[in-house]
Amino acid sequence: MSGMGQEDSGLRAQRALWADPGWRRWVLASLFPRLGGAMMPFALLLVGEAALGSFASGAWMTSAYSVGAAVASPFRGRQMDRRSLPGALRTPLLLQALLCGAMALAGTLRASLPVLLVLSLLLGVIPAGVAGAYRALLPSLLPPARLAPAFAIDAVLIEVAWIGGPPLVGALALVHPSLSLGVIGAGALLALGINRWLPPRAPPPSSTLPGDRVSLRPLLQGLPLLVYVSVVACGVGWGSVDTALPARLVELGSRAELWGGLSALLSVTSAVGGLVHASLLRPSSPQRALGRALVFLALWGGLLLPTVWMDSVLGLGVWLAAAGLFLAPLVGLLTYLLQQALPSDRQAEGFALYGACWALGIGVGSALTALLLRHASAQMALVPTGAVPLLAAGAVVLLARARPHPPATPPAP
């Protein structure tokens, strides 16, 4: 009976959340940037392959995009913490639309790899911090009691974007690979208009660091450090599977565009897992939440590892779907842990660093794919998808045991 009571409590929290008009406006405003982020890695991979005839070149473009986002996100996040939101999003979204047009033109003209790499890097740098800024808006829109279910549903909404994004890229690539970039640019322009519906959030008073100067030392210690390490590992797994699977499908005699459908399958099961997890009572302490997150990280990696030995599309789909069940619950726990650990005046910066760690992981995974495609095979390029998250889960357990634990405090009502 207690389990049923916990589930009912979680469902009531979800219903109350969706009844909040501020939450619904936020979901709509953040939809198009999320969709663009879900589309961009696969779009760059296919643009690079079409322009230069090599999946390895496309993987390097994806890596450059991800590394650019990783390097720029903390700086952009700090700037957005010191400015009014969502007004600070106007310039990066407009420049992102312009860069998408430039990349589409360069790909169509079969520009050289250095040109495509520079544009890919800029596509990562310019909108960096946008996702963190949207998350930083949540505490000003919702009461504290609704933040935990909000971050759990936020993880599901990310998966909804991934359900639609890669299949849309695959479908548009059947006409021309560069069409996806046009859709991403149009989405950025739509977001500019929708942001007007969000109430402005004035920058909170700074208590830890004045001005725009970035100092990551307060963020890279204690619980946030463990969260960021877990995020990098999760990103490596995703970056590897996202860039290696299309080449593996071709290696098996199928089409690279089919990865869009398999990616959607993974995201569907992830969304299902996230909804189930959101309906459960949240962990009673940060230590328990971290422990659950590490179990999910190990399951994510452990269920991706068998894709290395699958020699059929069906086998790949089964293991991807199984791994996806734990992705959104993992992301929801990590973002909730981070929100609880960050000071109020460093929320956008902290979440931008979260995005940077995710992008860094994708960049590392994509670079590993590019190297393994050139020197081994697409099958071997799938090895990091599961191996890195598994190893990282063990490493974070050791780090967590080594750090001092503060007294447990009950969760906010």
Side-chain angles (χ1 to χ4, degrees), residues 3-61:
M4 291 182 61
Q6 292 179 1
E7 184 175 354
D8 289 343
S9 176
L11 291 174
R12 282 197 300 271
Q14 289 187 57
R15 287 194 291 268
L17 183 64
W18 285 107
D20 192 309
W23 165 255
R24 295 198 301 268
R25 288 193 294 267
W26 181 89
V27 169
L28 183 62
S30 63
L31 171 64
F32 291 102
R34 290 178 188 273
L35 184 62
M39 294 173 67
M40 187 66 78
F42 192 25
L44 292 176
L45 182 75
L46 294 183
V47 167
E49 194 278 334
L52 302 173
S54 167
F55 280 111
S57 297
W60 281 122
M61 290 169 60

Side-chain angles (χ1 to χ4, degrees), residues 48 53 222 315 334 348 373:
L334 292 176
L373 286 177

Side-chain angles (χ1 to χ4, degrees), residues 179-278:
L179 284 178
S180 298
L181 294 165
V183 171
I184 296 171
L189 295 177
L190 283 172
L192 285 175
I194 299 172
N195 281 349
R196 296 175 181 232
W197 295 359
L198 292 177
R201 187 216 72 166
S206 177
S207 60
T208 58
L209 190 68
D212 293 335
R213 184 167 58 88
V214 173
S215 174
L216 300 182
R217 182 177 298 177
L219 302 179
L220 296 180
Q221 57 187 359
L223 182 59
L225 174 62
L226 301 180
V227 170
Y228 291 137
V229 171
S230 301
V231 172
V232 171
C234 190
V236 171
W238 179 259
S240 296
V241 77
D242 193 32
T243 50
L245 246 297
R248 178 60 174 158
L249 290 168
V250 173
E251 196 173 68
L252 293 175
S254 186
R255 294 181 64 99
E257 290 82 3
L258 185 58
W259 165 236
L262 291 176
S263 173
L265 174 64
L266 187 156
S267 296
V268 166
T269 59
S270 180
V272 170
L275 289 171
V276 171
H277 186 257

Side-chain angles (χ1 to χ4, degrees), residues 41 44-45 57-67 120 243 362-363 366:
L44 292 176
L45 182 75
S57 297
W60 281 122
M61 290 169 60
T62 300
S63 181
Y65 160 77
S66 301
V67 169
S120 299
T243 50
I362 292 177
S366 301

Side-chain angles (χ1 to χ4, degrees), residues 69 72-74 76-77 80 89 124-134 348 351-353:
S73 287
R76 297 291 296 129
M80 290 182 184
L89 298 171
V125 168
I126 295 302
V130 167
Y134 276 113
F351 280 119
L353 184 57

